[in-house]
Amino acid sequence: MPVRKAEAIWQGDLKSGKGTMALASGAFEGAYSFSTRFEDEPGTNPEELIGAAHAGCFSMAFSNELAKAGFVPDRVHTVAKVHLDKTDSGFKITRIELITDAKVPHIDEAQFQEIGAAAKVGCPVSQLLGPGAEITLAATLEN
Amino acid sequence: MPVRKAEAIWQGDLKSGKGTMALASGAFEGAYSFSTRFEDEPGTNPEELIGAAHAGCFSMAFSNELAKAGFVPDRVHTVAKVHLDKTDSGFKITRIELITDAKVPHIDEAQFQEIGAAAKVGCPVSQLLGPGAEITLAATLEN
């Protein structure tokens, strides 16, 4: 089975240092800093990469489960919101919100919600993140 | 504290469908598919995004802890290898290897390893992923 790789470099201390993160596929390399992670400076950060991974995995898994039930989706679109909070023991990623809207011919609302709830628990990235953070799902059927 | 966003779209079923993942910062948008995730087709996948997030968070945290101990690093470079395995209950991300090499003036090997081990446990992404997968660290001091 695949082993996926990525890398990062950090130079210097936390506040005045700088870094880059890169995917081994070559699809992306981006700079990050204290300000792009913990403040409002434009740029990337580890948390939005986790959000993209979770949104990507969940959308794929939800689509797969819908198709297996006989409802191939036209489109499953998911926004992931990753909450980085300051706790007594330092910064923690406490919660991930998945907000999905989907166009799925012929399905009814109850089936749609049931399959979404199962995909929320079962997708490989939810299985990875679920023990460490709260995951919530709000799914809207757009038909 | 920041809430970081990303999104993904999947269209169709698992094998013949297609998707995109995008960071809300605008730094990256990339296509993914069954073949780029579970097979060898070139392209991105959720697992390498998680690897980049973990390598980025760990390199930043290790640098911070080194600097706080009086050893501002010239460079901390980390490769993350994310293992996606097929288990009896489906695909699971079972293990993440962090492989770090660092240039840190004046520090001795024992201090370097001790601070690395603490950063491996303490960085926010390790705290998120640690309950769900095994995390290992191999750290090399290059001085």
Side-chain angles (χ1 to χ4, degrees):
Chain A
M1 282 306 304
V3 178
R4 301 304 182 183
K5 282 195 271 187
E7 65 185 313
I9 295 173
W10 189 266
Q11 295 172 284
D13 65 12
L14 182 67
K15 287 285 180 76
S16 63
K18 61 180 181 176
T20 58
M21 298 182 287
L23 307 178
S25 69
F28 172 62
E29 176 173 341
Y32 70 118
S33 68
F34 183 85
S35 303
T36 68
R37 186 172 191 194
F38 297 108
E39 296 175 341
D40 292 332
E41 194 175 309
T44 193
N45 48 72
E47 284 69 32
E48 68 168 6
L49 292 172
I50 288 169
H54 202 181
C57 184
F58 174 75
S59 295
M60 191 179 198
F62 194 3
S63 297
N64 180 39
E65 297 301 328
L66 287 164
K68 285 200 297 184
F71 307 100
V72 176
D74 290 342
R75 189 175 55 85
V76 172
H77 169 239
T78 304
V79 173
K81 296 185 181 179
V82 179
H83 292 255
L84 181 66
D85 290 319
K86 196 164 192 175
T87 71
D88 290 345
S89 56
F91 288 105
K92 278 201 77 166
I93 296 163
T94 54
R95 187 158 63 95
I96 300 173
E97 295 174 75
L98 301 174
I99 301 154
T100 296
D101 56 276
K103 199 162 175 211
V104 189
H106 310 304
I107 199 168
D108 68 33
E109 177 72 22
Q111 284 176 296
F112 175 77
Q113 293 297 339
E114 186 183 335
I115 293 170
K120 188 201 89 165
V121 174
C123 93
V125 172
S126 285
Q127 298 242 341
L128 175 66
L129 305 180
E134 181 190 6
I135 299 170
T136 62
L137 171 65
T140 304
L141 178 60
E142 285 197 336
N143 301 359
Chain B
M1 283 305 303
V3 178
R4 301 302 182 184
K5 282 194 270 188
E7 64 185 314
I9 295 172
W10 190 265
Q11 295 172 283
D13 65 12
L14 182 66
K15 288 284 180 77
S16 63
K18 60 179 183 175
T20 58
M21 298 182 286
L23 307 177
S25 70
F28 172 62
E29 176 172 342
Y32 70 119
S33 68
F34 182 84
S35 303
T36 69
R37 187 171 190 195
F38 297 108
E39 297 175 340
D40 292 332
E41 194 175 308
T44 193
N45 48 71
E47 285 68 32
E48 67 167 6
L49 293 171
I50 287 170
H54 202 183
C57 184
F58 174 75
S59 296
M60 191 181 198
F62 194 3
S63 297
N64 180 39
E65 297 301 327
L66 288 164
K68 286 199 296 185
F71 307 101
V72 176
D74 290 342
R75 190 175 56 85
V76 172
H77 169 238
T78 304
V79 173
K81 295 185 181 178
V82 179
H83 293 255
L84 181 65
D85 290 320
K86 194 162 192 175
T87 72
D88 290 345
S89 56
F91 288 106
K92 278 201 77 168
I93 297 163
T94 54
R95 187 157 64 94
I96 300 174
E97 295 175 74
L98 301 174
I99 301 154
T100 296
D101 56 276
K103 201 162 174 211
V104 189
H106 310 305
I107 199 168
D108 68 32
E109 178 70 22
Q111 284 176 297
F112 174 77
Q113 293 296 341
E114 186 182 336
I115 293 170
K120 188 201 88 163
V121 174
C123 94
V125 172
S126 286
Q127 297 242 341
L128 174 66
L129 305 180
E134 182 190 5
I135 300 170
T136 63
L137 171 65
T140 304
L141 179 60
E142 285 199 334
N143 301 359

